[in-house]
Amino acid sequence: EGSSRSRPSAASRRDAAPERMLALTSRALQSAPVRAAPALSRAFSTAERTYGGLKDEDRIFTNLYCDGSPWLDGAQKRGDWYKTKDIVLLGPDKIVAEVKKSGLRGRGGAGFPSGLKWSFMPKNNTDKPQYLVVNADESEPGTCKDREIMRHDPHKLIEGCLIAGTAMRANAAYIYIRGEFVYEAAVLERAIDEAYKAGLIGKNACGTGKDFDVHVHRGGGAYICGEETGLLESLEGKAGKPRLKPPFPANAGLYGCPTTVTNVETVAVAPTIMRRGGDWFASFGRKNNSGTKLFCISGHVNNPITVEEEMSISLRELLEKHCGGVRGGWDNLLGVIPGGSSVPIMTKETCDDVLMDFDALKDVGSGLGTAAVTVFDKSTDVVAAIGRLAKFYAHESCGQCTPCREGTTWMNKIMDRMVTGDAKLEEIDMLMEISQQIEGHTICALGDAAAWPVQGLIRAFRPAMEERIMMKQAGKL
C-alpha cells in the first residue's frame, strides 16, 4: 500500500481524467499531435532541469492502487478506449512515427527503442498472419509492476494490444502470462470478454473494419520463458528453450510467422502516447530516457511500493519521497540493486546521486532493467544475498548452452562456500573469470543475468568477501 503523502489523490484522478483526456485527445488525433497544454508542464530549476515530482494529471496508470473499478465502465471513466477508432485508422506508419517521436524504450529490461522495434515487422506480407506477443511472464526477482497493470488497469493493456498490433500490422495478440498469476489472468480474461462484448476487439474492432483478436496463454512458471524466443517455444507447446538468432522473431516468430514480442508496460502506455502525443511523453526524463516509468521498490525501506514516476528521478528522491526512506535512515544504506536481480548491485556512494534511467545507471556499471529497486541496509549479509541469486539462476538455466549450464552451477557452488567463508582468496578472481566466460557466450541473456550480480558483488564488496575468508581461516567465524 502507498503512503498518503506519496500516493496520488484518487479523487483528483477520477474527477479530472475524462475531461482532460477529451481535451488532449482532440488535439493529439490530428495529423501532427501537439504537445500537451502548458498546465501539464513541470518545473525547471534556473540552473538545470529538475526531474521527478510527477503530477497526478501526468500519470498514465491512474488505477495503480485500484482506487476505482478495473472493469470497462471504470476504465472508460478514466479515459480509456476514447476515440480508439480514430487512432487505429491513423494506420501503422503514423502510429509508429508517433511512438518513435515519444522516445519510448522497452520497459521489459533491454530498453530497445519501441518504435524502431515495431517498424521491423514486414509491411507487404500477404502470405502469413502476423502476431503481437505480450510478455507478461514477470519472473525477474523483485519485479512486480506488470501484475499491477493486469489486475487493476487491464483495459490499458487490451487497448494497447489493439493499437500496437495495428502498428505492427498484426492479426492477433497473445498475452503470455506467468502461470503463478492466477488472479491476474482471471481479471485479464474477464476484461477481454468485456471488450469483445462491447465490440472493442474481435470482428470489426472499434468499428474500424479491422479484425483483431486477443488471447491469454498461461505459462508453466519458468524464468527462461521470459526470454522472447523461449516464450515463443513455450507458446507453441514445446520446452521453453531459446532459439538461435537469426532468424529474428520479426521475420520468423510464432508458428514461423512474423512476430513482435514486447512487454506489458510498453504496450499499455501506447494509447496514452497516441492521445497526448509523442512530444508530451518525450518531455519527461532526460534525452534518450523519455517518459514515465513504474518503479517497484522493495527491501529495507519503510514503505515498499510500486509507483509511477518520471524517468531520470534521482534514486535518493525516489526512495525518500515514495518509500519513507531507507530503514534506519540514508546513512544505514548498504547498497541497492536498481533494476531487478540481474543487474549489478551499487554501493551507497554510487546511490547518493545516481539518476534512475537507462544511461545514468549504465554509466555507473549497473542498469535500469525492469526498474525493480531492491534496497539493502547494513544489517544485510550481502554475500549471502547475492549467493541466493546465484542459486536462483543455476536452478532456472534451461541447460541448452554449456557455458550457462555448467558455469551457473560452478558459480553457485563457489558462492555457497563464499557465504560460509570456506573458500580461498584466489577463488574470488576465479569466480570473476567464470562469470566472464558465461557472459556473452550464450544463446540468450540468462547467462548475462547470472553473471552480472556476481560481478557486481566482487566489484563493490570484494573487501567483505576477503574479510569473511580470512576470519574463517583464522578460526574467528
Side-chain angles (χ1 to χ4, degrees):
E1 294 295 326
S3 66
S4 58
R5 85 186 143 162
S6 66
R7 278 179 56 170
S9 161
S12 66
R13 290 201 308 270
R14 284 196 299 266
D15 294 344
E19 291 78 4
R20 185 174 300 106
M21 296 303 289
L22 293 175
L24 289 166
T25 303
S26 62
R27 293 197 304 275
L29 291 177
Q30 296 171 4
S31 58
V34 297
R35 184 167 177 160
L40 297 180
S41 64
R42 290 157 324 287
F44 288 75
S45 67
T46 54
E48 61 182 28
R49 170 70 183 277
T50 302
Y51 301 101
L54 188 69
K55 296 180 180 179
D56 287 356
E57 58 262 32
D58 289 328
R59 298 185 192 279
I60 294 174
F61 299 102
T62 50
N63 201 40
L64 191 60
Y65 306 111
C66 205
D67 296 315
S69 168
W71 311 120
L72 183 58
D73 58 343
Q76 289 177 324
K77 289 177 183 176
R78 292 189 294 274
D80 296 341
W81 293 111
Y82 180 73
K83 287 198 173 183
T84 309
K85 176 181 178 179
D86 295 347
I87 296 173
V88 172
L89 291 178
L90 287 174
D93 293 337
K94 287 187 177 180
I95 295 174
V96 167
E98 202 62 30
V99 173
K100 285 183 177 179
K101 186 191 295 185
S102 75
L104 174 66
R105 294 172 66 173
R107 300 317 200 207
F112 192 82
S114 298
L116 182 61
K117 183 176 182 178
W118 296 4
S119 71
F120 291 156
M121 292 284 273
K123 296 176 175 57
N124 300 306
N125 168 37
T126 57
D127 300 329
K128 298 178 180 179
Q130 300 190 173
Y131 298 114
L132 161 64
V133 174
V134 179
N135 187 347
D137 190 73
E138 189 174 50
S139 302
E140 180 82 353
T143 310
C144 49
K145 62 184 181 65
D146 294 342
R147 69 170 66 177
E148 303 294 350
I149 297 171
M150 290 185 285
R151 64 184 172 184
H152 295 153
D153 245 346
H155 280 281
K156 275 197 167 48
L157 174 58
I158 300 165
E159 185 187 11
C161 286
L162 176 59
I163 292 172
T166 299
M168 299 169 193
R169 297 172 173 83
N171 305 88
Y174 287 87
I175 301 174
Y176 184 100
I177 189 168
R178 181 179 173 183
E180 292 90 342
F181 285 177
V182 177
Y183 175 72
E184 288 79 2
V187 170
L188 200 53
E189 286 173 339
R190 176 176 164 182
I192 289 171
D193 287 343
E194 286 184 318
Y196 268 109
K197 289 175 183 176
L200 300 172
I201 55 176
K203 295 287 184 182
N204 190 26
C206 290
T208 59
K210 174 184 173 64
D211 298 341
F212 190 83
D213 290 313
V214 179
H215 309 280
V216 175
H217 181 92
R218 303 187 189 214
Y223 177 80
I224 192 63
C225 290
E227 194 278 332
E228 62 175 9
T229 59
L231 185 156
L232 294 177
E233 288 285 289
S234 177
L235 194 51
E236 292 178 3
K238 306 169 191 173
K241 294 190 175 183
R243 302 172 180 174
L244 283 166
K245 303 176 200 175
F248 292 93
N251 295 318
L254 184 63
Y255 308 122
C257 301
T259 304
T260 293
V261 183
T262 189
N263 176 257
V264 168
E265 185 183 352
T266 312
V267 173
V269 300
T272 307
I273 289 174
M274 293 307 300
R275 289 194 181 93
R276 297 193 177 192
D279 288 337
W280 168 81
F281 192 80
S283 70
F284 298 94
R286 299 192 304 159
K287 185 178 180 182
N288 299 324
N289 298 275
S290 303
T292 68
K293 181 77 184 74
L294 290 180
F295 295 92
C296 26
I297 307 155
S298 60
H300 296 148
V301 290
N302 292 310
N303 180 38
I305 193 173
T306 297
V307 65
E308 183 177 3
E309 251 299 353
E310 180 180 13
M311 287 279 279
S312 304
I313 185 174
S314 73
L315 174 60
R316 183 165 184 172
E317 182 184 351
L318 181 68
L319 298 183
E320 294 186 344
K321 181 175 182 179
H322 296 289
C323 304
V326 178
R327 188 177 69 178
W330 185 258
D331 289 338
N332 194 38
L333 179 65
L334 178 68
V336 171
I337 298 176
S341 64
S342 59
V343 304
I345 190 171
M346 305 184 300
T347 62
K348 176 188 176 298
E349 290 69 30
T350 302
C351 297
D352 283 340
D353 54 8
V354 72
L355 302 181
M356 292 298 291
D357 64 33
F358 295 105
D359 295 341
L361 289 168
K362 182 181 178 181
D363 290 344
V364 296
S366 190
L368 182 65
T370 59
V373 182
T374 309
V375 179
F376 302 102
D377 69 14
K378 290 181 179 177
S379 69
T380 306
D381 182 342
V382 70
V383 180
I386 303 302
R388 181 63 187 86
L389 295 181
K391 190 180 297 293
F392 170 81
Y393 288 111
H395 180 268
E396 293 296 337
S397 172
C398 76
Q400 184 173 204
C401 305
T402 302
C404 181
R405 180 184 66 245
E406 302 299 326
T408 54
T409 303
W410 296 352
M411 287 199 303
N412 180 36
K413 289 180 178 179
I414 297 174
M415 282 303 302
D416 281 346
R417 290 189 286 105
M418 290 288 175
V419 171
T420 59
D422 294 306
K424 299 177 181 178
L425 289 173
E426 55 265 29
E427 284 184 297
I428 299 176
D429 289 330
M430 185 186 300
L431 190 60
M432 177 64 87
E433 184 180 357
I434 292 171
S435 74
Q436 290 170 343
Q437 290 297 327
I438 300 171
E439 181 187 11
H441 296 95
T442 55
I443 289 174
C444 83
L446 190 146
D448 298 348
W452 290 341
V454 172
Q455 292 177 3
L457 173 70
I458 295 171
R459 285 197 300 265
F461 294 100
R462 183 173 184 134
M465 300 171 73
E466 293 174 343
E467 180 184 12
R468 183 165 308 190
I469 293 169
M470 291 187 288
M471 286 180 67
K472 183 71 174 183
Q473 290 175 345
K476 296 180 180 179
L477 189 64

